[in-house]
Amino acid sequence: MLPWKRVLRPLAALLLTAAVAIVPAATAHAATAPSSGWNDYSCKPSAAHPRPVVLVHGTLGNSVDNWLSLAPYLKHRGYCVFSLDYGRLPGVPLFHGLGPIDESAEQLAAYVDKVLGATGAAKADLVGHSQGGMMPRYYLKFLGGAAKVNALVGLAPDNHGTDLSGLTNLLPYFPGAADLIKSNTPGLADQIAGSAFLTKLNAGGDTVPGVRYTVIATKYDEVATPWRNQYLSGPDVRNVLLQDLCPLDLSEHVAIALFDRIAFHEVANALDPAHATATTCASVFD
């Protein structure tokens, strides 16, 4: 093994450990936590909320820990709520979203079919965090998802890739580092700005007809950077910056999905725009 590889492997392990550490959820909790009423396949959508909501976790997330607050929030408001695990790597438990993103989109397609079959609904709404807000666009654009999805709501989605606060700009200084990342964690490599996956995804336009898109971003994002890369262009797109709604909102990339009720209020507005109410700093009490 080349000397730089001996350095790079423990460095990569350290970075991964640090990334996991910022996710406020214990691994044992993820394995045993109750779903608090979501993932109930006997749930039938109501007339008020006729579409099931599928929650799509982010990189290093999973179907439970990513949604311990938002899933009950939506369930309490009368939605049938479901969440999946995708992008699993062999031998890596609990921390998912690391597999090739096109394959993850295929897993989402199968899961949406499962939810629609169980609920009897014609379409679903998707709410995703980070990669989970971007990856479904591949499903919509290339896998027939546009016929089965009414709306996609992204919380800090890396729609046009990330430079990870400039860290990816250092990759050329480590020969072979990019190839090492792609071979071991292809889901990470696919999210780097300028990747072949993102070039294909965004070619010919960001959106597809018939789907409503909402992007909810925070200017304090330190992962999906620069944060304006999250925004989409096209018909039926609404781009929202949390600080325009509440200047006091200090949420960064993780908090926006884990417990930011201002962001949650905007999710509810996006799912039911006919009954949307103004999102302000007071929305934390809603």
Side-chain angles (χ1 to χ4, degrees):
M1 183 183 293
L2 294 176
W4 67 265
K5 286 190 175 182
R6 295 194 188 101
V7 175
L8 186 59
R9 286 188 185 277
L11 178 60
L14 179 62
L15 290 174
L16 181 60
T17 301
V20 169
I22 70 171
V23 180
T27 58
H29 186 260
T32 60
S35 62
S36 301
W38 83 89
N39 284 334
D40 175 6
Y41 288 91
S42 67
C43 185
K44 299 301 179 184
S46 65
H49 301 302
R51 293 175 298 276
V53 177
V54 175
L55 303 177
V56 190
H57 65 74
T59 307
L60 297 176
N62 61 64
S63 61
V64 176
D65 287 333
N66 218 135
W67 308 118
L68 288 172
S69 295
L70 181 57
Y73 180 96
L74 295 175
K75 183 69 178 177
H76 179 71
R77 282 155 179 76
Y79 289 92
C80 292
V81 182
F82 301 87
S83 59
L84 78 156
D85 289 311
Y86 71 86
R88 300 181 183 185
L89 291 182
V92 182
L94 303 175
F95 302 105
H96 306 315
L98 296 171
I101 298 182
D102 55 350
E103 295 180 10
S104 294
E106 293 175 359
Q107 296 164 28
L108 174 62
Y111 189 78
V112 170
D113 285 347
K114 177 180 177 181
V115 168
L116 294 181
T119 60
K123 289 188 175 185
D125 289 325
L126 308 180
V127 178
H129 174 224
S130 191
Q131 179 190 163
M134 173 270 289
M135 175 269 281
R137 293 178 47 229
Y138 191 94
Y139 163 54
L140 299 177
K141 195 169 188 178
F142 299 111
L143 303 177
K148 301 175 182 180
V149 172
N150 169 71
L152 170 61
V153 184
L155 291 160
D158 49 349
N159 281 312
H160 295 278
T162 178
D163 65 6
L164 202 60
S165 294
L167 288 178
T168 63
N169 297 327
L170 300 177
L171 288 175
Y173 296 98
F174 296 89
D179 291 337
L180 188 63
I181 293 171
K182 186 171 182 59
S183 62
N184 287 277
T185 53
L188 296 181
D190 285 346
Q191 295 177 76
I192 296 174
S195 72
F197 172 83
L198 287 167
T199 299
K200 177 181 177 179
L201 176 63
N202 293 314
D206 293 347
T207 64
V208 295
V211 180
R212 290 189 293 105
Y213 297 81
T214 302
V215 173
I216 304 171
T218 171
K219 68 181 182 181
Y220 300 114
D221 201 309
E222 77 285 23
V223 176
T225 55
W227 64 264
R228 288 179 179 83
N229 275 10
Q230 299 173 26
Y231 281 179
L232 294 173
S233 299
D236 294 321
V237 170
R238 182 166 185 259
N239 294 310
V240 179
L241 181 65
L242 285 180
Q243 286 72 34
D244 288 341
L245 306 175
C246 176
L248 301 177
D249 193 322
L250 301 179
S251 288
E252 41 66 69
H253 187 78
V254 175
I256 194 174
L258 288 187
F259 51 75
D260 189 334
R261 291 178 70 90
I262 295 171
F264 293 179
H265 190 270
E266 271 302 290
V267 170
N269 281 346
L271 294 175
D272 189 8
H275 299 95
T277 58
T279 300
T280 67
C281 293
S283 296
V284 297
F285 303 109
D286 182 30

